[in-house]
Amino acid sequence: MSDFIQSSVLNGIQTISFNRASKKNAITLDMYQALTQFLVEGESRKDVLVTVIHGAGPDFSSGNDIAEFVTIAQQPDKMSPIMAFLRTLSQYPKPLYAAVEGRAVGIGATLLLHCDMVFSARNASLCFPFVKLGVVPEAAVSYLLPSLAGHQLSFEKLILGEPFDAEEAHSIGMVNHLCEEGEALALALNFAEKTVQLPPEAVILSKNLLKNRFQDEVQMTLMREGRIFKDRLQSKEAHQAFKSFLSRPKIG
């Protein structure tokens, strides 16, 4: 179990935290395994009625740990913990909320599309930099984002990969509620507390009804993206992009 992912349960609410603030909560394979384990635990525990994901420190998550991805690119079969997490996340049956501060990059942004409610500080910044890194979108974002925003805007976000703010994310339906900096977790917990008061079986059945109509397409997209992503990791473009990324001066 990774020390960089922590989970606690209080009054029906499971809180899962990215806890690698010194690295902007960049996610490693060990962290993916821990995330999956905590989600499986949340699903099985009767005292967990809602799960809230957030990032310790100023950022939600800067996405995959690129230094580790250089190693994964040489052995793409090591991606299995990532795919296991994405399947677990996409099929999580209980209410899943996210509290976003600072950066939400790559998987840090795509996982939000699998959450039932997202609460974000107004100054948060989202980004899908996959193409810039020589790879392709993941986490079924190539299906989920166009379902929200249409093709043209999704093309801009996923292909150009430029950061956009929480106000825009709210306008296209990725974020439910905006708040001031430092208030996202409190706001998410407030809504989680409201949800805990509702009949839990009715909540779970209602979520299933909402997601059931496109669950098959989400799972097929996950597999399709995963196959192409795995191939792209071995491409010359990806190797050059990773090398360039790792050689950049460290800022922020």
Side-chain angles (χ1 to χ4, degrees):
M1 183 69 72
S2 172
D3 293 334
F4 296 129
I5 300 293
Q6 296 184 348
S7 174
S8 61
V9 178
L10 181 65
N11 298 328
I13 302 169
Q14 178 190 38
T15 304
I16 298 177
S17 308
F18 297 115
N19 191 39
R20 199 187 181 203
S22 65
K23 297 293 184 179
K24 301 180 178 63
N25 291 326
I27 308 174
T28 65
L29 291 179
D30 286 345
M31 292 168 69
Y32 276 114
Q33 291 177 320
L35 285 166
T36 301
Q37 184 168 333
F38 283 133
L39 286 175
V40 170
E41 178 183 302
E43 179 178 350
S44 64
R45 286 181 57 165
K46 292 183 178 180
D47 61 333
V48 171
L49 303 178
V50 182
T51 295
V52 177
I53 300 177
H54 79 109
D59 296 301
F60 183 68
S61 172
S62 60
N64 288 309
D65 186 304
I66 299 299
E68 186 178 68
F69 247 60
V70 171
T71 301
I72 296 173
Q74 307 303 317
Q75 298 175 280
D77 288 342
K78 288 188 174 182
M79 280 186 61
S80 57
I82 302 175
M83 296 307 298
F85 166 69
L86 294 178
R87 287 191 297 271
T88 303
L89 174 73
S90 64
Q91 298 173 334
Y92 192 66
K94 297 180 180 180
L96 182 63
Y97 298 167
V100 180
E101 302 275 356
R103 297 175 180 89
V105 179
I107 183 65
T110 58
L111 74 81
L112 302 178
L113 290 162
H114 295 279
C115 293
D116 301 298
M117 296 191 77
V118 177
F119 308 87
S120 177
R122 296 178 188 278
N123 66 345
S125 175
L126 292 78
C127 184
F128 303 113
F130 306 110
V131 172
K132 288 183 176 181
L133 291 171
V135 293
V136 296
E138 39 85 308
V141 66
S142 63
Y143 171 76
L144 293 171
L145 189 60
S147 296
L148 279 179
H151 171 76
Q152 285 87 352
L153 185 57
S154 298
F155 183 95
E156 179 181 345
K157 301 307 179 190
L158 294 175
I159 307 305
L160 297 184
E162 296 176 349
F164 57 102
D165 62 27
E167 294 274 4
E168 186 171 4
H170 179 263
S171 73
I172 64 177
M174 281 188 68
V175 170
N176 292 77
H177 296 281
L178 297 168
C179 60
E180 299 309 310
E181 182 179 0
E183 297 179 358
L185 180 58
L187 183 59
L189 291 174
N190 177 265
F191 273 81
E193 289 166 2
K194 293 180 182 180
T195 309
V196 165
Q197 303 305 313
L198 299 171
E201 289 184 11
V203 169
I204 290 173
L205 289 169
S206 297
K207 171 174 176 171
N208 179 265
L209 287 170
L210 285 167
K211 289 206 163 190
N212 183 65
R213 61 190 174 88
F214 54 81
Q215 189 60 252
D216 287 347
E217 187 62 40
V218 167
Q219 298 308 313
M220 287 189 291
T221 305
L222 281 177
M223 291 187 290
R224 185 163 54 245
E225 289 174 345
R227 286 194 300 270
I228 300 172
F229 195 104
K230 186 176 177 180
D231 290 340
R232 292 299 302 169
L233 284 177
Q234 300 178 75
S235 70
K236 183 177 180 180
E237 287 182 341
H239 289 176
Q240 290 176 337
F242 290 162
K243 182 178 179 180
S244 176
F245 180 90
L246 293 172
S247 66
R248 295 186 314 174
K250 298 294 186 286
I251 58 174

